[in-house]
Amino acid sequence: MPETAVDWDAWDAVLFDLDGVVTPTAEVHMRAWEAMFSSYLAQRSAAEGATYAPYTEQDYFDYVDGKPRYDGVRSFLASRGITLPEGSPDDPTTAETVCGLGNRKNEAFGQVLAAEGVVPYPGSVALIRDLQRRGIPMAVVSSSRNAPDVLAAAGLSDFFAFVMHGGLATELGLPGKPAPDTFTHAAEVLGATDDRSVILEDAVSGVAAGRAGAFGLVIGVDRGAGEETLREAGADVVVPDLADLLPQESP
């Protein structure tokens, strides 16, 4: 059997990351992060007369991808030797705090999503429909508080019995990825255990969460992180598209 062959009927639950796995909104997030951090670094450099290394696409994968929003802000700023007050989730987008910058990024994301909408990956939709036909419970586990809105915009809300998003994780006191807790909670809601669940993730932090939770099967989706990087983080299988995980028809 090919390496990507999966006996889906052998599993009790399938847990999907959203951005970059089901929908191409990771690209929207990337643009929003770049706009926010580039603007902030330029503003800070001008005010201090200092020079900070510019934000790059690699910074997204190294410090932001897959993490809760404020964790991503904190992680990137630390890479540039910058420490800001934590602030509060209610901070305005003008506040120079971790929460203020995170809210500034979220505002930019919302503007792009409203203007452009979102079309899910065809291969992902095909796999989701196949799993629904098999009667396998599915959940979305996303660090983004925007996950319910993105799912609704993509027309996929009805496929998932449960959506674990960043806001709900905070309410429940669950640490975000790379901790496995949000995935474990989603599996429990679906009536499954970690070892009987499959995780589909494109972020290194998400793959690491799956491996930390000892999930039965961790599938990496390579949307830019790199196959070797995802395997090193703990992916059992890496594919470029979820269509590659569909059952192969006999010739």
Side-chain angles (χ1 to χ4, degrees):
M1 298 176 72
E3 183 185 9
T4 58
V6 176
D7 180 6
W8 292 108
D9 295 319
W11 301 98
D12 295 338
V14 180
L15 312 177
F16 290 77
D17 179 40
L18 180 61
D19 302 315
V21 173
V22 176
T23 61
T25 37
E27 299 168 15
V28 181
H29 282 291
M30 289 175 73
R31 296 204 302 273
W33 281 114
E34 180 180 14
M36 186 277 288
F37 278 132
S38 295
S39 174
Y40 176 68
L41 291 176
Q43 168 194 334
R44 189 177 179 100
S45 295
E48 296 180 352
T51 301
Y52 292 95
Y55 179 86
T56 68
E57 182 177 296
Q58 191 58 44
D59 287 319
Y60 174 80
F61 294 110
D62 290 345
Y63 305 114
V64 174
D65 190 20
K67 296 180 182 177
R69 189 190 317 155
Y70 301 138
D71 289 352
V73 172
R74 206 178 298 109
S75 179
F76 172 77
L77 292 179
S79 76
R80 299 304 193 266
I82 300 172
T83 303
L84 292 180
E86 189 68 15
S88 134
D90 296 327
D91 280 359
T93 57
T94 53
E96 193 171 353
T97 62
V98 168
C99 291
L101 292 187
N103 294 345
R104 194 182 306 181
K105 176 265 169 183
N106 193 54
E107 181 178 71
F109 176 84
Q111 290 170 347
V112 176
L113 184 64
E116 301 180 4
V118 59
V119 177
Y121 292 108
S124 300
V125 174
L127 178 62
I128 289 167
R129 290 186 181 280
D130 184 73
L131 294 175
Q132 182 190 53
R133 180 183 61 79
R134 295 170 184 273
I136 301 174
M138 294 176 281
V140 162
V141 180
S142 171
S143 296
S144 174
R145 292 170 182 258
N146 299 301
D149 292 337
V150 171
L151 272 178
L156 297 175
S157 300
D158 293 343
F159 288 94
F160 297 96
F162 179 67
V163 178
M164 169 59 74
H165 58 85
L168 179 58
T170 298
E171 290 176 18
L172 296 175
L174 300 175
K177 307 167 188 179
D181 303 58
T182 52
F183 280 118
T184 296
H185 184 85
E188 290 174 351
V189 170
L190 298 185
T193 56
D194 288 8
D195 64 317
R196 297 288 304 152
S197 301
V198 179
I199 285 178
L200 294 135
E201 262 285 359
D202 71 313
V204 172
S205 59
V207 169
R211 185 51 55 224
F215 284 82
L217 180 63
V218 180
I219 299 175
V221 187
D222 185 12
R223 307 287 194 193
E227 178 177 354
E228 182 177 349
T229 298
L230 292 172
R231 287 189 181 279
E232 288 176 352
D236 300 301
V237 175
V238 177
V239 295
D241 190 282
L242 297 196
D244 296 334
L245 300 169
L246 288 167
Q248 300 296 313
E249 296 184 2
S250 301

